[in-house]
mmCIF file of all heavy atoms in Angstrom:
data_model
loop_
_atom_site.group_PDB
_atom_site.id
_atom_site.type_symbol
_atom_site.label_atom_id
_atom_site.label_comp_id
_atom_site.label_asym_id
_atom_site.label_seq_id
_atom_site.Cartn_x
_atom_site.Cartn_y
_atom_site.Cartn_z
ATOM 1 N N THR A 246 113.756 113.979 101.233
ATOM 2 C CA THR A 246 114.900 114.004 102.064
ATOM 3 C C THR A 246 115.609 115.326 101.890
ATOM 4 O O THR A 246 115.488 116.010 100.859
ATOM 5 C CB THR A 246 115.894 112.876 101.885
ATOM 6 O OG1 THR A 246 116.839 112.800 103.002
ATOM 7 C CG2 THR A 246 116.716 112.950 100.560
ATOM 8 N N ALA A 247 116.360 115.748 102.858
ATOM 9 C CA ALA A 247 117.078 117.009 102.820
ATOM 10 C C ALA A 247 118.429 116.853 103.387
ATOM 11 O O ALA A 247 118.608 116.223 104.471
ATOM 12 C CB ALA A 247 116.329 118.137 103.527
ATOM 13 N N HIS A 248 119.450 117.386 102.730
ATOM 14 C CA HIS A 248 120.780 117.512 103.292
ATOM 15 C C HIS A 248 120.673 118.363 104.580
ATOM 16 O O HIS A 248 120.306 119.551 104.469
ATOM 17 C CB HIS A 248 121.707 118.194 102.230
ATOM 18 C CG HIS A 248 123.001 118.754 102.787
ATOM 19 N ND1 HIS A 248 124.220 118.286 102.362
ATOM 20 C CD2 HIS A 248 123.245 119.825 103.598
ATOM 21 C CE1 HIS A 248 125.134 119.019 102.932
ATOM 22 N NE2 HIS A 248 124.570 119.914 103.676
ATOM 23 N N SER A 249 120.897 117.666 105.697
ATOM 24 C CA SER A 249 120.774 118.375 106.942
ATOM 25 C C SER A 249 121.904 117.893 107.825
ATOM 26 O O SER A 249 121.858 116.836 108.417
ATOM 27 C CB SER A 249 119.435 117.942 107.677
ATOM 28 O OG SER A 249 118.333 118.203 106.756
ATOM 29 N N VAL A 250 122.953 118.707 108.008
ATOM 30 C CA VAL A 250 124.170 118.316 108.700
ATOM 31 C C VAL A 250 124.176 118.763 110.123
ATOM 32 O O VAL A 250 124.474 117.954 111.036
ATOM 33 C CB VAL A 250 125.385 118.918 107.988
ATOM 34 C CG1 VAL A 250 126.681 118.600 108.744
ATOM 35 C CG2 VAL A 250 125.527 118.326 106.573
ATOM 36 N N GLY A 251 123.775 120.029 110.416
ATOM 37 C CA GLY A 251 123.808 120.540 111.744
ATOM 38 C C GLY A 251 122.571 120.124 112.555
ATOM 39 O O GLY A 251 121.540 119.832 112.026
ATOM 40 N N ASP A 252 122.755 120.136 113.892
ATOM 41 C CA ASP A 252 121.597 119.785 114.736
ATOM 42 C C ASP A 252 120.430 120.761 114.563
ATOM 43 O O ASP A 252 119.245 120.422 114.809
ATOM 44 C CB ASP A 252 122.044 119.584 116.182
ATOM 45 C CG ASP A 252 122.716 120.842 116.801
ATOM 46 O OD1 ASP A 252 122.875 121.841 116.101
ATOM 47 O OD2 ASP A 252 123.107 120.705 117.907
ATOM 48 N N GLY A 253 120.745 121.992 114.194
ATOM 49 C CA GLY A 253 119.681 122.960 113.940
ATOM 50 C C GLY A 253 118.808 122.585 112.747
ATOM 51 O O GLY A 253 117.596 122.673 112.719
ATOM 52 N N ALA A 254 119.534 122.180 111.668
ATOM 53 C CA ALA A 254 118.809 121.755 110.477
ATOM 54 C C ALA A 254 118.025 120.499 110.697
ATOM 55 O O ALA A 254 116.896 120.357 110.217
ATOM 56 C CB ALA A 254 119.819 121.562 109.388
ATOM 57 N N VAL A 255 118.615 119.585 111.443
ATOM 58 C CA VAL A 255 117.879 118.290 111.678
ATOM 59 C C VAL A 255 116.607 118.591 112.523
ATOM 60 O O VAL A 255 115.576 118.043 112.250
ATOM 61 C CB VAL A 255 118.812 117.402 112.520
ATOM 62 C CG1 VAL A 255 117.986 116.165 113.056
ATOM 63 C CG2 VAL A 255 119.956 116.869 111.647
ATOM 64 N N HIS A 256 116.751 119.498 113.475
ATOM 65 C CA HIS A 256 115.581 119.902 114.375
ATOM 66 C C HIS A 256 114.536 120.580 113.453
ATOM 67 O O HIS A 256 113.364 120.257 113.625
ATOM 68 C CB HIS A 256 116.018 120.823 115.423
ATOM 69 C CG HIS A 256 115.114 120.933 116.559
ATOM 70 N ND1 HIS A 256 114.856 120.004 117.532
ATOM 71 C CD2 HIS A 256 114.225 121.965 116.845
ATOM 72 C CE1 HIS A 256 113.977 120.363 118.377
ATOM 73 N NE2 HIS A 256 113.546 121.593 118.003
ATOM 74 N N GLU A 257 114.913 121.498 112.584
ATOM 75 C CA GLU A 257 113.989 122.174 111.761
ATOM 76 C C GLU A 257 113.222 121.091 110.796
ATOM 77 O O GLU A 257 112.049 121.285 110.592
ATOM 78 C CB GLU A 257 114.655 123.238 110.859
ATOM 79 C CG GLU A 257 115.205 124.406 111.658
ATOM 80 C CD GLU A 257 114.060 125.436 111.925
ATOM 81 O OE1 GLU A 257 112.990 125.322 111.229
ATOM 82 O OE2 GLU A 257 114.244 126.310 112.799
ATOM 83 N N LEU A 258 113.942 120.202 110.255
ATOM 84 C CA LEU A 258 113.385 119.235 109.386
ATOM 85 C C LEU A 258 112.341 118.317 110.162
ATOM 86 O O LEU A 258 111.269 118.045 109.594
ATOM 87 C CB LEU A 258 114.444 118.383 108.695
ATOM 88 C CG LEU A 258 113.963 117.391 107.658
ATOM 89 C CD1 LEU A 258 113.139 118.074 106.505
ATOM 90 C CD2 LEU A 258 115.187 116.640 107.072
ATOM 91 N N LEU A 259 112.742 117.869 111.322
ATOM 92 C CA LEU A 259 111.836 117.037 112.131
ATOM 93 C C LEU A 259 110.561 117.874 112.545
ATOM 94 O O LEU A 259 109.492 117.291 112.587
ATOM 95 C CB LEU A 259 112.557 116.499 113.359
ATOM 96 C CG LEU A 259 113.544 115.322 113.005
ATOM 97 C CD1 LEU A 259 114.364 114.958 114.236
ATOM 98 C CD2 LEU A 259 112.706 114.131 112.585
ATOM 99 N N ASP A 260 110.769 119.143 112.781
ATOM 100 C CA ASP A 260 109.605 119.991 113.090
ATOM 101 C C ASP A 260 108.611 119.967 111.920
ATOM 102 O O ASP A 260 107.416 119.836 112.128
ATOM 103 C CB ASP A 260 110.043 121.418 113.482
ATOM 104 C CG ASP A 260 110.574 121.608 114.847
ATOM 105 O OD1 ASP A 260 110.421 120.711 115.653
ATOM 106 O OD2 ASP A 260 111.054 122.731 115.092
ATOM 107 N N ALA A 261 109.146 120.102 110.762
ATOM 108 C CA ALA A 261 108.324 120.119 109.513
ATOM 109 C C ALA A 261 107.654 118.785 109.324
ATOM 110 O O ALA A 261 106.458 118.675 109.001
ATOM 111 C CB ALA A 261 109.169 120.564 108.299
ATOM 112 N N TYR A 262 108.414 117.715 109.479
ATOM 113 C CA TYR A 262 107.836 116.345 109.322
ATOM 114 C C TYR A 262 106.735 116.129 110.340
ATOM 115 O O TYR A 262 105.695 115.525 110.003
ATOM 116 C CB TYR A 262 108.942 115.274 109.485
ATOM 117 C CG TYR A 262 109.864 115.047 108.277
ATOM 118 C CD1 TYR A 262 111.191 114.740 108.449
ATOM 119 C CD2 TYR A 262 109.362 115.134 107.016
ATOM 120 C CE1 TYR A 262 112.024 114.452 107.385
ATOM 121 C CE2 TYR A 262 110.202 114.969 105.902
ATOM 122 C CZ TYR A 262 111.592 114.604 106.133
ATOM 123 O OH TYR A 262 112.356 114.366 105.006
ATOM 124 N N GLU A 263 106.980 116.570 111.558
ATOM 125 C CA GLU A 263 105.995 116.400 112.617
ATOM 126 C C GLU A 263 104.666 117.075 112.221
ATOM 127 O O GLU A 263 103.535 116.518 112.429
ATOM 128 C CB GLU A 263 106.518 116.920 113.943
ATOM 129 C CG GLU A 263 106.001 116.316 115.121
ATOM 130 C CD GLU A 263 106.879 116.637 116.380
ATOM 131 O OE1 GLU A 263 107.269 117.814 116.491
ATOM 132 O OE2 GLU A 263 107.073 115.741 117.151
ATOM 133 N N GLU A 264 104.703 118.245 111.722
ATOM 134 C CA GLU A 264 103.573 118.987 111.275
ATOM 135 C C GLU A 264 102.824 118.328 110.126
ATOM 136 O O GLU A 264 101.605 118.185 110.109
ATOM 137 C CB GLU A 264 103.936 120.467 110.956
ATOM 138 C CG GLU A 264 102.685 121.268 110.633
ATOM 139 C CD GLU A 264 103.093 122.753 110.390
ATOM 140 O OE1 GLU A 264 103.874 123.288 111.163
ATOM 141 O OE2 GLU A 264 102.445 123.419 109.501
ATOM 142 N N ILE A 265 103.508 117.905 109.107
ATOM 143 C CA ILE A 265 102.988 117.256 107.904
ATOM 144 C C ILE A 265 102.363 115.933 108.330
ATOM 145 O O ILE A 265 101.364 115.494 107.732
ATOM 146 C CB ILE A 265 104.032 117.112 106.755
ATOM 147 C CG1 ILE A 265 104.527 118.504 106.335
ATOM 148 C CG2 ILE A 265 103.398 116.377 105.580
ATOM 149 C CD1 ILE A 265 103.504 119.493 105.906
ATOM 150 N N ASN A 266 102.939 115.325 109.338
ATOM 151 C CA ASN A 266 102.467 113.970 109.706
ATOM 152 C C ASN A 266 101.033 114.035 110.305
ATOM 153 O O ASN A 266 100.357 113.054 110.344
ATOM 154 C CB ASN A 266 103.431 113.373 110.813
ATOM 155 C CG ASN A 266 103.179 111.947 111.034
ATOM 156 O OD1 ASN A 266 103.213 111.142 110.095
ATOM 157 N ND2 ASN A 266 102.899 111.565 112.297
ATOM 158 N N THR A 267 100.603 115.235 110.682
ATOM 159 C CA THR A 267 99.223 115.413 111.154
ATOM 160 C C THR A 267 98.255 115.384 110.023
ATOM 161 O O THR A 267 97.017 115.166 110.210
ATOM 162 C CB THR A 267 99.070 116.720 111.954
ATOM 163 O OG1 THR A 267 99.285 117.842 111.080
ATOM 164 C CG2 THR A 267 100.012 116.764 113.114
ATOM 165 N N LYS A 268 98.721 115.603 108.755
ATOM 166 C CA LYS A 268 97.911 115.553 107.529
ATOM 167 C C LYS A 268 97.947 114.169 106.897
ATOM 168 O O LYS A 268 96.909 113.684 106.451
ATOM 169 C CB LYS A 268 98.373 116.640 106.566
ATOM 170 C CG LYS A 268 98.341 118.010 107.125
ATOM 171 C CD LYS A 268 99.003 118.998 106.151
ATOM 172 C CE LYS A 268 98.226 119.187 104.921
ATOM 173 N NZ LYS A 268 98.795 120.296 104.127
ATOM 174 N N HIS A 269 99.109 113.549 106.765
ATOM 175 C CA HIS A 269 99.248 112.251 106.200
ATOM 176 C C HIS A 269 100.567 111.541 106.719
ATOM 177 O O HIS A 269 101.468 112.344 107.211
ATOM 178 C CB HIS A 269 99.188 112.255 104.702
ATOM 179 C CG HIS A 269 100.169 113.167 104.048
ATOM 180 N ND1 HIS A 269 99.913 114.350 103.585
ATOM 181 C CD2 HIS A 269 101.497 112.928 103.829
ATOM 182 C CE1 HIS A 269 100.971 114.934 103.048
ATOM 183 N NE2 HIS A 269 102.004 114.111 103.218
ATOM 184 N N SER A 270 100.673 110.293 106.616
ATOM 185 C CA SER A 270 101.728 109.590 107.217
ATOM 186 C C SER A 270 103.109 109.887 106.572
ATOM 187 O O SER A 270 103.265 109.814 105.390
ATOM 188 C CB SER A 270 101.548 108.070 107.088
ATOM 189 O OG SER A 270 102.656 107.332 107.530
ATOM 190 N N ILE A 271 104.036 110.326 107.437
ATOM 191 C CA ILE A 271 105.370 110.543 106.994
ATOM 192 C C ILE A 271 106.114 109.204 106.899
ATOM 193 O O ILE A 271 107.035 108.998 106.042
ATOM 194 C CB ILE A 271 106.072 111.522 108.031
ATOM 195 C CG1 ILE A 271 105.609 112.889 107.808
ATOM 196 C CG2 ILE A 271 107.595 111.388 107.887
ATOM 197 C CD1 ILE A 271 105.906 113.459 106.446
ATOM 198 N N ARG A 272 105.773 108.283 107.819
ATOM 199 C CA ARG A 272 106.443 106.980 107.879
ATOM 200 C C ARG A 272 106.292 106.212 106.510
ATOM 201 O O ARG A 272 107.188 105.596 106.063
ATOM 202 C CB ARG A 272 105.820 106.149 109.006
ATOM 203 C CG ARG A 272 106.476 104.801 109.218
ATOM 204 C CD ARG A 272 105.741 104.032 110.348
ATOM 205 N NE ARG A 272 105.643 104.798 111.602
ATOM 206 C CZ ARG A 272 106.604 104.674 112.506
ATOM 207 N NH1 ARG A 272 107.655 103.824 112.330
ATOM 208 N NH2 ARG A 272 106.514 105.363 113.607
ATOM 209 N N ASP A 273 105.062 106.265 105.935
ATOM 210 C CA ASP A 273 104.742 105.446 104.795
ATOM 211 C C ASP A 273 105.682 105.825 103.556
ATOM 212 O O ASP A 273 105.886 104.985 102.685
ATOM 213 C CB ASP A 273 103.307 105.640 104.417
ATOM 214 C CG ASP A 273 102.366 104.912 105.421
ATOM 215 O OD1 ASP A 273 102.894 104.174 106.276
ATOM 216 O OD2 ASP A 273 101.157 105.172 105.404
ATOM 217 N N THR A 274 106.066 107.080 103.503
ATOM 218 C CA THR A 274 106.887 107.512 102.361
ATOM 219 C C THR A 274 108.411 107.443 102.662
ATOM 220 O O THR A 274 109.144 107.961 101.846
ATOM 221 C CB THR A 274 106.489 108.979 101.906
ATOM 222 O OG1 THR A 274 106.685 109.832 102.994
ATOM 223 C CG2 THR A 274 104.997 108.954 101.419
ATOM 224 N N ARG A 275 108.754 106.866 103.762
ATOM 225 C CA ARG A 275 110.129 106.668 104.112
ATOM 226 C C ARG A 275 110.854 108.102 104.184
ATOM 227 O O ARG A 275 112.006 108.129 103.733
ATOM 228 C CB ARG A 275 110.907 105.764 103.188
ATOM 229 C CG ARG A 275 110.170 104.536 102.675
ATOM 230 C CD ARG A 275 110.011 103.429 103.752
ATOM 231 N NE ARG A 275 109.025 102.460 103.294
ATOM 232 C CZ ARG A 275 109.373 101.263 102.818
ATOM 233 N NH1 ARG A 275 110.670 100.949 102.630
ATOM 234 N NH2 ARG A 275 108.476 100.392 102.418
ATOM 235 N N SER A 276 110.146 109.044 104.742
ATOM 236 C CA SER A 276 110.781 110.368 104.832
ATOM 237 C C SER A 276 112.092 110.270 105.578
ATOM 238 O O SER A 276 112.310 109.463 106.426
ATOM 239 C CB SER A 276 109.816 111.317 105.639
ATOM 240 O OG SER A 276 108.622 111.453 104.891
ATOM 241 N N CYS A 277 113.022 111.073 105.097
ATOM 242 C CA CYS A 277 114.478 110.824 105.456
ATOM 243 C C CYS A 277 115.229 112.089 105.794
ATOM 244 O O CYS A 277 114.760 113.191 105.523
ATOM 245 C CB CYS A 277 115.149 110.126 104.247
ATOM 246 S SG CYS A 277 116.732 109.363 104.603
ATOM 247 N N ILE A 278 116.247 111.926 106.528
ATOM 248 C CA ILE A 278 117.204 112.979 106.790
ATOM 249 C C ILE A 278 118.565 112.486 106.288
ATOM 250 O O ILE A 278 119.089 111.482 106.616
ATOM 251 C CB ILE A 278 117.426 113.270 108.349
ATOM 252 C CG1 ILE A 278 116.083 113.427 109.089
ATOM 253 C CG2 ILE A 278 118.270 114.481 108.579
ATOM 254 C CD1 ILE A 278 116.126 113.529 110.542
#
């Protein structure tokens, strides 16, 4: 998880999660904002 307050930070974090999700499941590890 990452402290992500602004919509820009939230967007950047989701971009990163989306990319890593192509390698292994983000859902299974309860990835968080």
Side-chain angles (χ1 to χ4, degrees):
T246 195
H248 163 116
S249 308
V250 172
D252 55 2
V255 169
H256 196 76
E257 289 282 342
L258 185 56
L259 283 170
D260 280 350
Y262 281 147
E263 206 164 43
E264 184 174 320
I265 299 304
N266 196 56
T267 63
K268 301 172 66 175
H269 55 261
S270 172
I271 285 298
R272 183 185 302 270
D273 291 348
T274 58
R275 321 286 171 99
S276 297
C277 194
I278 309 172

